Amino acid sequence: MDGANYSLVSEFVLIGLSNSWEMRLFLFWFFSVSYMGIILGNLFILFMVIIDSHLHSPMYFLLANLSLFDLGLSSTTVPKVISDLFTDCNMISFPKCMMQIFFIHVMGGAEMVLLIAMAYDRYTAICKPLHYLTIMSPKMCVSFVVTAWIVGIIHAVSQFGFVLNLPFCGPNKVDSFYCDFPRVMKLACVDTYKIEFVIIANSGFISMATFLSLIMSYICILVTVWKHSSGDLSKAFVTLSAHITVVILFFMPCIFLYVWPFPTISLDKYLFIFVFAITPVLNPAIYTLRNNDMRLAVRRLGKRIVGSSGISS
């Protein structure tokens, strides 16, 4: 905490995504619609999983927590982006910048662990169906979620202490629309080579390891389905292809930024639009519109609403 006290920089300037008025108008529309979809879609999943007893299963318990993480991850950046699009000077105070970095990595790290848990859940359901309920017990599901939160907090704290104690005494322009470790550390008044290595070892390793684990789990699922369906992979591939697409969209920006930190181009800030504004919308669409159980739950809810309104009238 002392590092923040002797730092001469009290606020940062977020350069944002574009200086063009037309592009800002488009981005305002895009982020506003996306964030509305994120809120409505993920709250809808949480609501349905809570009220419908047919959805009280391991898969939907994990899905509800994924919606919670998506809401948290998007809310750390998107509202600020929307408010900054029509502001000439996009300022963020030093404490708020540090808080944004912290919560991005808490939510991001937790979501990575939860995605592994969800892949394991699908692997168990398809590859070990007779033991599914025994393996994916309520205790196991709660353990997955608690582990996700713990890993997310440890992941954030392990890097946060290094950045918080860096001296910032000169430049304060962050070439992005949000605060994050690599771009903020570029503004420090000391050599950050060692901290760069810490980020590669931490964020880079977690991103790569999680991505490879997820891809391997999907391959195992496809191989198992292929063995038990005489080579017909079409249905399983269609189902998993959407999941794999979301995984790629979520992890490719993370791998690009954290495995090769301090990029010389600004491509990473555009890639992270997928992380904050696109994948949190795609997750509810994939896990609800393409999910028969969720569609049936919506119909049951509709019948209950119609029935209750009929009785009251």
Side-chain angles (χ1 to χ4, degrees), residues 4-118:
N5 292 332
Y6 65 71
S7 172
L8 299 179
V9 173
S10 61
E11 57 188 10
F12 294 103
V13 178
L14 300 175
I15 293 179
L17 293 167
S18 175
N19 292 322
S20 166
W21 172 258
E22 293 79 8
M23 180 58 69
R24 285 190 177 192
L25 188 62
F26 169 77
L27 290 171
F28 176 81
W29 173 85
F30 170 77
F31 278 110
S32 298
V33 172
S34 296
Y35 192 55
M36 186 178 298
I38 290 167
I39 293 175
L40 294 178
N42 287 288
L43 287 180
F44 173 77
I45 290 178
L46 284 168
F47 175 74
M48 293 303 299
V49 172
I50 290 172
I51 69 165
D52 196 309
S53 59
H54 294 83
L55 300 180
H56 293 174
S57 64
M59 182 178 76
Y60 293 105
F61 174 78
L62 297 175
L63 176 58
N65 280 275
L66 178 65
S67 294
L68 188 63
F69 289 143
D70 279 338
L71 276 171
L73 186 61
S74 296
S75 297
T76 58
T77 56
V78 177
K80 172 67 175 170
V81 175
I82 294 173
S83 65
D84 285 349
L85 280 171
F86 297 107
T87 305
D88 293 332
C89 192
N90 306 328
M91 309 297 296
I92 183 170
S93 67
F94 186 91
K96 288 183 179 179
C97 182
M98 295 298 107
M99 287 177 61
Q100 189 177 63
I101 292 174
F102 180 77
F103 284 109
I104 284 174
H105 283 266
V106 169
M107 294 297 176
E111 183 161 334
M112 289 182 186
V113 175
L114 193 67
L115 287 171
I116 293 178
M118 294 180 70

Side-chain angles (χ1 to χ4, degrees), residues 141-308:
C141 293
V142 173
S143 298
F144 276 135
V145 175
V146 172
T147 301
W149 278 107
I150 292 174
V151 170
I153 292 172
I154 293 175
H155 163 64
V157 171
S158 63
Q159 301 175 94
F160 190 64
F162 292 100
V163 178
L164 194 63
N165 288 299
L166 286 175
F168 296 93
C169 54
N172 68 337
K173 291 185 178 181
V174 180
D175 185 18
S176 187
F177 61 92
Y178 69 102
C179 289
D180 202 2
F181 288 125
R183 294 204 175 275
V184 171
M185 284 194 300
K186 287 177 65 176
L187 307 177
C189 301
V190 294
D191 182 15
T192 58
Y193 175 78
K194 292 182 179 179
I195 304 177
E196 176 184 348
F197 177 78
V198 171
I199 285 185
I200 295 175
N202 193 321
S203 295
F205 173 78
I206 289 177
S207 300
M208 283 293 296
T210 305
F211 177 73
L212 293 176
S213 298
L214 290 170
I215 296 300
M216 288 300 298
S217 69
Y218 291 139
I219 292 174
C220 290
I221 290 173
L222 288 173
V223 170
T224 301
V225 172
W226 178 73
K227 289 181 178 179
H228 290 82
S229 60
S230 302
D232 184 12
L233 288 174
S234 57
K235 185 177 180 180
F237 183 78
V238 169
T239 301
L240 290 178
S241 61
H243 298 189
I244 294 172
T245 300
V246 171
V247 166
I248 291 174
L249 290 176
F250 182 85
F251 282 97
M252 284 298 101
C254 298
I255 293 172
F256 180 86
L257 179 61
Y258 298 121
V259 176
W260 295 279
F262 309 107
T264 56
I265 57 175
S266 300
L267 178 62
D268 64 280
K269 68 180 181 181
Y270 296 100
L271 289 176
F272 264 78
I273 294 175
F274 289 98
V275 175
F276 296 126
I278 296 180
T279 54
V281 173
L282 291 179
N283 282 338
I286 288 172
Y287 289 107
T288 55
L289 297 178
R290 299 170 60 92
N291 188 293
N292 189 53
D293 291 337
M294 192 65 74
R295 289 198 295 267
L296 291 175
V298 173
R299 292 175 187 173
R300 286 192 294 268
L301 177 62
K303 290 179 180 178
R304 287 166 59 182
I305 294 174
V306 172
S308 61

